[in-house]
Amino acid sequence: MKIYDYHGKKNLCGDRIHQARTTQRMSQSDLAARMQVNGVIIEREAISKIETGDRFVTDYELLTFAKVLGVSVDWLLADEEV
């Protein structure tokens, strides 16, 4: 399987996830717990890697991040660099 990077990152949404999480004064552990309550098993370390662009994000994770953070998928995917 070929691994793709976009501007050196493996996802578009990591910066926005970090922004939404910190705006809400939520820790990575809190976000992981809320994701798990919503059916997505994810650890704090994985959220850290997503936020730094070192991990891919699946479609179901993206939907759940949007729900838990109270933002739209479109907002999470907005690319400010382009």
Side-chain angles (χ1 to χ4, degrees):
M1 176 172 83
K2 184 168 173 69
I3 303 297
Y4 295 95
D5 284 355
Y6 181 76
H7 295 283
K9 295 189 176 187
K10 292 180 173 54
N11 66 60
L12 289 174
C13 62
D15 290 335
R16 290 288 180 107
I17 289 171
H18 176 78
Q19 182 182 345
R21 180 182 62 76
T22 56
T23 297
Q24 297 178 36
R25 300 179 194 267
M26 187 186 311
S27 70
Q28 290 176 339
S29 295
D30 291 339
L31 179 54
R34 291 180 187 194
M35 293 287 286
Q36 291 174 13
V37 166
N38 281 275
V40 175
I41 305 305
I42 191 167
E43 301 296 327
R44 187 210 59 80
E45 294 82 8
I47 290 175
S48 177
K49 288 180 179 181
I50 288 169
E51 289 182 351
T52 59
D54 293 329
R55 180 185 178 280
F56 288 101
V57 178
T58 64
D59 52 0
Y60 65 88
E61 289 172 335
L62 185 67
L63 287 172
T64 308
F65 275 122
K67 177 182 175 184
V68 167
L69 293 168
V71 298
S72 70
V73 170
D74 287 341
W75 184 82
L76 286 176
L77 292 176
D79 185 8
E80 297 172 358
E81 293 182 296
V82 174

